[in-house]
Structures are given as C-alpha cells and as structure tokens.
Amino acid sequence: MKIIHELSKGRLIKRISEDLEVSYNTVLKIKNLILKRLLKKIFDIDELKSLFSVGIKLTESGMNLNYIENIDIKELSTLKNEKIGRLYIFKNYDNYDLYIVFSEKIIKSFEKNSIRLDLKDVRDEFRSLLKSISEKISKGKITNINTLLFTIIQTHFIDYHGSDKLFYLFLDILKYK
C-alpha cells in the first residue's frame, strides 16, 4: 500500500525503493501491475508492451481513447514533446489532440526535443487558481462560463510565475466546450 501511495504522488521508482527499503524491481512490478490492470479495463488489453502509446481525441460528444502499439519513433523524434518521467506527450499528432508515448526506458531520440514538465509548478499554479476561483464563487462573482473564463485569465496574469502551462491547458479544454 505504501508503494501504491508513493506512486500516486508521482515519485520516482528509485526514490520509492530507497525510502521504503524495497528493491527497485518490486516497485516497478507493482507499477506495471497497476498500469496493466488499468489498461486492461480501459482498452481490454491482456499484455502490456514495454513501449506503447495512447491517442486522445476530444470530440463534441466526449473523449476518444485509442491504444496504439505501432509507434513511428523516427517521425516522432522530429517533433517537440513534453516529458514527465518516461511519458512523452505530443500535441496534435496523427489526428489526435494528445498522443502520449509510454516507455519503460528513456527514448534518446525524443530527448533532444523534450521539454521537461515540472509538476510542482503546475500543482502550485493549480492551487492558486482554485483558491482564487473559490473566493470569487463564495462572493457571488462567478455566475456563468464568461465570468469563469475571465477569472481564469485574470488569475493567470495576477499570479504569473513564468509558467503558463495550466492556463493554456484550460484554454484548450474550454475551446471544446
């Protein structure tokens, strides 16, 4: 349970194994078991490959998810991506809004075009946004989608820390509403 809890925080496998004094392989096996069960449930997949991707397409009726095993590494190597651990996130690739590559190993050819996302910055920005929105809701200042959008933009500029990933993520989400 402690391993699952630490994995859910997004901690590195190596750090978890050191802190909990268990082997790296034990933590990796539990992570892969969770991922395998999740993928089996979502995509009805029996065997988890060491390299696969998920394509996400936003539509008016919701979100379409596709499990993809055949990855064009050569083509993807020329594109910019955002990286979290061994997840590589490509935007607007192959008719998908998001194309996420999952890999057990670092893909060296992707690294030159990778922008490493700092989850701490995103979390801090999200907390600040939620605080501002909840204060405005309690004061009755947010009453519809237009005032919500205004609040998001205003909060972004007031609390700007040099990181605008969350702001653009919200704009991407809102354009599909």
Side-chain angles (χ1 to χ4, degrees):
M1 291 306 290
K2 287 181 181 180
I3 292 172
I4 294 169
H5 179 72
E6 294 301 313
L7 286 169
S8 71
K9 291 182 189 176
R11 296 200 53 222
L12 295 173
I13 293 173
K14 183 178 179 184
R15 298 284 181 242
I16 295 170
S17 69
E18 290 170 353
D19 291 349
L20 299 179
E21 298 178 357
V22 296
S23 76
Y24 179 91
N25 286 337
T26 299
V27 179
L28 183 62
K29 284 177 188 176
I30 290 173
K31 178 193 143 260
N32 286 338
L33 180 63
I34 293 167
L35 187 56
K36 182 177 181 178
R37 288 187 179 173
L38 180 65
L39 289 174
K40 181 170 175 51
K41 185 171 183 126
I42 295 172
F43 298 110
D44 197 26
I45 303 295
D46 288 327
E47 184 181 336
L48 181 64
K49 305 291 183 188
S50 62
L51 178 67
F52 65 91
S53 62
V54 172
I56 302 170
K57 179 72 175 171
L58 299 173
T59 64
E60 289 183 21
S61 59
M63 184 180 351
N64 293 329
L65 299 172
N66 291 318
Y67 175 84
I68 304 155
E69 289 183 2
N70 298 325
I71 301 169
D72 189 345
I73 291 180
K74 186 175 181 181
E75 183 177 346
L76 287 170
S77 295
T78 64
L79 304 175
K80 289 188 178 188
N81 68 81
E82 295 179 334
K83 178 183 178 199
I84 303 173
R86 288 181 215 104
L87 296 180
Y88 299 91
I89 304 166
F90 298 86
K91 293 181 179 175
N92 301 313
Y93 173 73
D94 194 26
N95 295 320
Y96 294 107
D97 296 306
L98 290 177
Y99 188 85
I100 304 171
V101 176
F102 297 78
S103 176
E104 286 183 5
K105 298 179 181 177
I106 291 174
I107 303 172
K108 290 182 181 180
S109 61
F110 287 2
E111 293 293 312
K112 66 181 177 203
N113 289 322
S114 291
I115 299 167
R116 187 176 304 271
L117 291 179
D118 186 346
L119 291 179
K120 183 185 179 308
D121 289 344
V122 173
R123 282 187 203 119
D124 290 346
E125 192 174 339
F126 189 64
R127 280 189 195 110
S128 173
L129 175 69
L130 287 179
K131 180 180 177 188
S132 175
I133 289 174
S134 64
E135 287 172 359
K136 287 185 168 71
I137 288 173
S138 67
K139 293 177 183 177
K141 293 183 177 181
I142 296 180
T143 57
N144 58 36
I145 191 68
N146 294 329
T147 56
L148 175 62
L149 183 57
F150 176 79
T151 301
I152 291 170
I153 292 168
Q154 181 187 37
T155 302
H156 168 70
F157 286 110
I158 290 172
D159 296 335
Y160 186 73
H161 300 292
S163 173
D164 54 6
K165 289 174 182 34
L166 186 65
F167 172 69
Y168 291 109
L169 174 70
F170 272 107
L171 286 183
D172 280 343
I173 290 168
L174 288 173
K175 78 180 180 184
Y176 291 101
K177 294 292 181 192

